[in-house]
Amino acid sequence: MSQSAPISPAPLAIRGAVERGWAAFAHCPWVLMGFTLLSGGANLLAQLLYRYESGLVISLLGQPDPISIVLAAMAWILYVLTGLWLVVGLLRGAQLALHRRRPQLGELIRVDGRAMLRCFGTVLLILVVLAVIVRLAQASSWLLTLIQPLLAPLPLLAGWAVVVYFSADQILSLPLTVIGGLGPLGAFRRGRAATDPHWLHALGLTLVLLGMVLAGFLVLLAGLVVALPVAACTLTAAYQQLFEPGDPSGISVP
């Protein structure tokens, strides 16, 4: 895949991204929902297995149980892998649907190890940066508690404001990684360069995507089978607005 470059300084058109995302989902809903059900179900089973085994790490005799420790570690690894599989497959399906193609289930199921590895690195980088921001805010608050307790909440508020800013700023990191083929640092820099000038639009897109996923949760989790593909298609449509497609009709298809 070729590395993406911003093609327009124009801000994100959130409504246009939502409309194109929904149209892409409606173009092949059963395939996208089927893959979401398959990969999401595997992810949920891995999560349940991890919770069960982690509760058995300490045996009834109060000693660590090696078997439960190994099984809990394997379940956690499986949980991460199935989560990455879900993200990569949905973005690939959204890419094909926006290209006006009907993806086959086999295309989405196919494991792309390199894309999953890049996706993992990008998510890990974002989580590390967020953790550093929160820790710095907590440390600053602790120091202010020693000097002036009334000012202690200010660093925490500032830290959470930076977290919100950074989260919206990196909203396009995953499609840049999976579709654009960029590594974690490249996606981090390119995403920030594209969205930072129009951060409020990026925040609006972030809230819209969160609203879609939350709406899926509210429908007894079954709604996620629809909400996650629609959110992936919307995010990919937003990516297309700011980055050069490989074809005038849509995103390049490998």
Side-chain angles (χ1 to χ4, degrees):
M1 295 181 184
S2 60
Q3 293 188 353
S4 300
I7 59 172
S8 173
L12 283 168
I14 300 174
R15 180 176 177 179
V18 173
E19 290 176 349
R20 289 199 64 221
W22 175 257
F25 170 75
H27 183 64
C28 50
W30 299 113
V31 174
L32 295 176
M33 289 192 296
F35 172 75
T36 303
L37 184 62
L38 177 64
S39 56
N43 185 259
L44 180 59
L45 289 176
Q47 182 181 7
L48 293 176
L49 179 61
Y50 171 75
R51 289 184 178 180
Y52 176 77
E53 293 297 339
S54 61
L56 300 177
V57 167
I58 303 299
S59 67
L60 296 177
L61 300 177
Q63 299 295 326
D65 186 346
I67 296 179
S68 294
I69 293 175
V70 171
L71 290 177
M74 293 177 61
W76 185 85
I77 293 173
L78 183 62
Y79 172 71
V80 173
L81 291 177
T82 53
L84 295 172
W85 180 41
L86 171 64
V87 171
V88 172
L90 281 180
L91 289 177
R92 181 188 295 139
Q95 174 190 17
L96 294 170
L98 284 164
H99 196 68
R100 296 193 292 275
R101 282 184 52 188
R102 295 185 183 274
Q104 300 297 318
L105 186 59
E107 294 178 286
L108 306 188
I109 291 177
R110 178 175 58 85
V111 176
D112 188 341
R114 292 184 178 180
M116 290 172 60
L117 184 60
R118 293 195 307 269
C119 186
F120 175 75
T122 300
V123 172
L124 182 62
L125 175 62
I126 292 174
L127 291 178
V128 168
V129 172
L130 291 176
V132 169
I133 293 171
V134 172
R135 289 300 183 184
L136 287 176
Q138 291 174 339
S140 301
S141 178
W142 178 77
L143 290 175
L144 275 180
T145 301
L146 301 177
I147 301 172
Q148 180 53 263
L150 293 177
L151 299 179
L154 294 180
L156 296 177
L157 293 175
W160 284 111
V162 174
V163 166
V164 172
Y165 169 82
F166 178 80
S167 300
D169 211 42
Q170 292 299 311
I171 189 63
L172 295 179
S173 291
L174 287 181
L176 277 167
T177 297
V178 176
I179 299 173
L182 297 177
L185 287 177
F188 182 93
R189 294 168 180 167
R190 200 67 61 84
R192 184 177 185 278
T195 59
D196 200 49
H198 309 287
W199 179 81
L200 286 177
H201 295 82
L203 177 62
L205 177 65
T206 303
L207 294 176
V208 168
L209 295 176
L210 287 176
M212 290 180 182
V213 176
L214 179 60
F217 270 113
L218 294 178
V219 190
L220 301 177
L221 293 180
L224 287 176
V225 176
V226 175
L228 290 179
V230 173
C233 290
T234 301
L235 180 61
T236 305
Y239 166 85
Q240 282 194 12
Q241 291 181 12
L242 297 186
F243 293 89
E244 182 177 2
D247 184 274
S249 62
I251 286 181
S252 58
V253 178

